[in-house]
Amino acid sequence: MTHILIVEDNELNRDMLQRRLERKGYAVSCAVDGPQGIAMATTTRPDIILMDVALGDMDGWEATMAIHADPRSATIPVIALTAHALESDRLRSIEAGCVDFETKPVSLPDLIAKIEQHATVRNAA
């Protein structure tokens, strides 16, 4: 079973996404901010991380760079989640080390396709 870590500071967004993914058969853990997401990435070793980019004191891009700087979590793929569909946000996400980008509100079929693509690549390695 694919384990997903959601890093999202908005409780409603986090709970809604967690419930939808669990109904699709995924194991889901949640972090409420960047530092907690970094810690959980190294301790729970999820197959993939869904990272909100607007997290407050430490944004999702900073958290992604910290996750990839740690050898224990460096290979975990991160998909950026943002309410902004700007090309600059997509480019900044890729520069920070994210493997993909999804805008909010999330299209569940599109997000699941991205999760499957990137989790499969990691698990095959």
Side-chain angles (χ1 to χ4, degrees), residues 36-48:
Q36 185 181 30
I38 294 165
M40 289 180 72
T42 59
T43 59
T44 66
R45 303 269 306 137
D47 295 302
I48 196 156

Side-chain angles (χ1 to χ4, degrees), residues 55-118:
L55 290 172
D57 291 340
M58 173 185 275
D59 65 38
W61 296 307
E62 292 173 284
T64 297
M65 289 186 286
I67 288 167
H68 288 152
D70 188 319
R72 296 171 294 174
S73 54
T75 62
I76 302 171
V78 177
I79 296 175
L81 302 177
T82 181
H84 305 289
L86 301 174
E87 180 65 11
S88 60
D89 284 343
R90 189 187 70 73
L91 290 174
R92 186 164 178 203
S93 297
I94 300 302
E95 289 170 1
C98 297
V99 296
D100 219 320
F101 181 87
E102 182 69 25
T103 56
K104 298 178 192 176
V106 170
S107 161
L108 192 60
D110 290 347
L111 181 60
I112 288 174
K114 291 174 184 181
I115 289 168
E116 290 299 315
Q117 173 190 356
H118 297 294

